Amino acid sequence: RTLTYSLGAGAPTNAAVNSATGVFTWTPTEAQAPSTNIISVIVTDNSVSPVSATNTFTVTVLKTNSPPVLAAIPDRTVHAGSLVTFTNSATDPDLPANTLTYSLDPGAPTNASVGALTGVFTWPTTDADASTSNPITVRVTDNGTTAMSDAQSFTVTVLARPGIQAVTASSTNAMLTWSAIPGTTYRVQFKADLNDTNWTDLAPDVTAAGPTASITNPPGPTQRFYRILVID
């Protein structure tokens, strides 16, 4: 006779039995732990008056701690004196989610830090950091039984502050050129007297496309002093 297999009422979601082979399969999800599951498998023949037999067994699903997942952190290139800051993003697959704590692995710059609960990374670079490449690893750790963690590494390259490389004058314009980082936005300011308190912006702001950036400025009636600000 032909036998057909099925599951009795109350079987866990996603549990299944192959009707022809009787192979039972079930991969419990995070939401199904911890739990105790009583499962019945029924086999039925194809006689004129079908006859069935039932076997019942128990599957106990234990709670396990899965590691958190920390999003990738891109490398950065900045000028000395810039504040490097960003918010890390991490998720925990456990239900309910565990509490996550952020930290820096050994080897991070001395004055770099990350908020243990917020994940906000902060590093105020200084001129002493110029011309350095700094590998940094951020780690996130859960508070599950047998704590689990994930880590992401990135590099911050620190270049010297932007420096004016040339001022090229003509009868109608002066072109100011300075060292730059591609993708970084700069603001040029000027004043006629170094003793003046206020600086005047020279519009527009300039986003560098390469290792140098430049702007033109019609000559004024007096001499001018310039400075370069890093905006973003």
Side-chain angles (χ1 to χ4, degrees), residues 111-125:
N111 54 342
S113 64
V114 65
L117 299 181
T118 64
V120 176
F121 174 86
T122 303
W123 180 28
T125 64

Side-chain angles (χ1 to χ4, degrees), residues 10-91:
T13 302
N14 298 327
V17 65
N18 186 287
S19 61
T21 64
V23 174
F24 174 84
T25 56
W26 178 37
T27 302
T29 67
E30 183 70 32
Q32 291 172 312
S35 64
T36 299
N37 305 269
I38 300 174
I39 304 171
S40 296
V41 176
I42 304 169
V43 61
T44 306
D45 67 18
N46 66 337
S47 60
V48 176
S49 298
V51 178
S52 299
T54 301
N55 240 332
T56 299
F57 61 99
T58 300
V59 176
T60 301
V61 182
L62 302 179
K63 185 73 173 177
T64 58
N65 185 29
S66 299
V69 178
L70 180 62
I73 306 171
D75 296 337
R76 289 165 165 78
T77 299
V78 301
H79 289 290
S82 297
L83 174 65
V84 180
T85 183
F86 59 88
T87 301
N88 287 282
S89 176
T91 56

Side-chain angles (χ1 to χ4, degrees), residues 69-73 88 136-140 150-154:
V69 178
L70 180 62
I73 306 171
N88 287 282
I136 303 170
T137 299
V138 176
R139 183 171 299 277
V140 62
D150 188 25
Q152 293 287 351
S153 297
F154 64 105

